[in-house]
Amino acid sequence: MNILDKIVIDKRKEVDLRKSLIPIHQLEASILFERKTNSLVQKLKASTSGIIAEHKRRSPSKSVINQSSNVQDVAIGYEEAAVCGMSVLTDGKYFGGSLDDLLLARASCNLPLLRKEFIIDAYQIIEAKAYGADVILLIGAILTREEVKQFSELAKSLSLDVLLEIHNEEELQKSIMPSLDMLGVNNRNLKTFEVSLETSKQLSQIIPNDFVKVSESGISSVEAIRALQAYGYKGFLIGENFMKTDNPGVSATEFINTLES
């Protein structure tokens, strides 16, 4: 059993517990549920940098990345850096995140917020909306085509953008449909945790141009982004590179300044 399988098993238990504690009607009564969402897709299309900056405390591949910085400071710093959006990890067991992180980020900035989570149930999409997200992530490796369709159409009905993450051509062909906005290529193999930007380059050829292309994981240099832009990528998800520093916002500012100079 690989790490992704373990995460999904634990996530099903966690979601079942959450559903028993907070019913859907309670989520739908949240003040943030009526909030007008902020489109990450539009921001990426208009941007020259395309940076989606992540808040991440730890990961299964790197254990601790940054346990000391608080979400509010990171969100404010990212907004000052003029990133296109902020990704917030809400998985607790493996990444040290929580839905409270999403709430705090929402209260601290006006950036489009991506709920970075292992979504395996429609409940989590209602939850994302109730906690202030603008975008959800769907992972092709853990969902059937029917689930991708059901979850993406639900997200669109709530005015949420949908980023579908893929790792190979099989996941792309299985999952591609009109209710998706962005196709994200994860350069990290979630089964082995090895990283290669070649994954993004190879898959770029077969991703239809109707979708905004996003490259995720292992992006740590301006040169890597410039190389990927040549393959049609408009979005770049960067977490560890900023979060491993003392001030992620300042790191993001310096990175974007270099990229745009």
Side-chain angles (χ1 to χ4, degrees):
M1 188 187 295
N2 61 53
I3 186 72
L4 197 52
D5 296 331
K6 288 179 187 166
I7 290 173
V8 170
I9 288 168
D10 286 333
K11 192 58 61 179
R12 292 197 188 282
K13 293 176 190 165
E14 179 196 319
V15 172
D16 285 344
L17 176 61
R18 295 186 77 88
K19 284 165 89 170
S20 70
L21 294 172
I22 305 174
I24 283 178
H25 69 82
Q26 197 171 322
L27 291 173
E28 291 174 337
S30 149
I31 292 170
L32 289 170
F33 205 81
E34 299 305 318
R35 176 185 156 268
K36 188 177 186 299
T37 50
N38 194 354
S39 174
L40 176 60
V41 171
Q42 298 310 320
K43 281 280 178 79
L44 291 176
K45 284 180 175 176
S47 172
T48 51
S49 69
I51 303 297
I52 305 161
E54 191 156 85
H55 178 268
K56 178 161 66 173
R57 292 188 179 86
R58 55 183 158 87
S59 74
S61 62
K62 285 284 164 70
S63 59
V64 173
I65 296 166
N66 187 332
Q67 294 281 36
S68 60
S69 63
N70 68 62
V71 183
Q72 298 101 309
D73 290 345
V74 174
I76 291 165
Y78 282 160
E79 188 164 42
E80 287 173 351
V83 302
C84 291
M86 179 175 175
S87 166
V88 182
L89 259 302
T90 60
D91 173 79
K93 182 169 183 179
Y94 295 91
F95 291 87
S98 71
L99 277 163
D100 282 347
D101 288 339
L102 189 58
L103 269 185
L104 286 168
R106 179 74 290 147
S108 308
C109 72
N110 290 313
L111 292 168
L113 295 183
L114 163 69
R115 181 186 185 188
K116 187 88 173 284
E117 181 56 272
F118 299 86
I119 289 180
I120 43 85
D121 192 297
Y123 178 86
Q124 293 163 285
I125 299 167
I126 308 281
E127 211 174 35
K129 176 75 171 174
Y131 279 80
D134 301 281
V135 194
I136 60 153
L137 174 75
L138 298 178
I139 301 174
I142 62 174
L143 300 171
T144 64
R145 180 172 178 81
E146 291 68 34
E147 287 171 328
V148 172
K149 186 174 190 295
Q150 179 202 344
F151 296 165
S152 57
E153 287 178 354
L154 171 60
K156 297 314 296 173
S157 75
L158 297 172
S159 301
L160 296 169
D161 281 349
V162 181
L163 169 63
L164 177 84
E165 176 178 298
I166 56 165
H167 300 82
N168 54 44
E169 184 174 355
E170 182 191 351
E171 290 170 13
L172 173 66
Q173 302 300 0
K174 172 189 83 174
S175 310
I176 206 152
M177 59 190 69
S179 44
L180 306 173
D181 300 292
M182 296 165 279
L183 276 164
V185 178
N186 194 335
N187 301 305
R188 188 188 306 281
N189 183 318
L190 287 183
K191 295 174 181 172
T192 64
F193 280 101
E194 291 170 356
V195 176
S196 170
L197 294 183
E198 289 306 310
T199 309
S200 280
K201 292 175 183 177
Q202 288 163 9
L203 289 174
S204 72
Q205 319 292 334
I206 52 173
I207 296 173
N209 291 327
D210 320 3
F211 304 99
V212 172
K213 296 179 195 176
V214 178
S215 186
E216 310 170 22
S217 295
I219 301 167
S220 56
S221 70
V222 165
E223 291 71 34
I225 287 183
R226 286 181 179 147
L228 289 166
Q229 283 174 333
Y231 285 83
Y233 285 91
K234 289 290 290 176
F236 307 92
L237 185 67
I238 301 180
E240 198 178 303
N241 201 49
F242 301 148
M243 285 301 295
K244 68 185 180 185
T245 66
D246 292 335
N247 192 323
V250 169
S251 303
T253 301
E254 291 168 352
F255 191 94
I256 290 172
N257 287 345
T258 305
L259 178 62
E260 294 184 333
S261 63

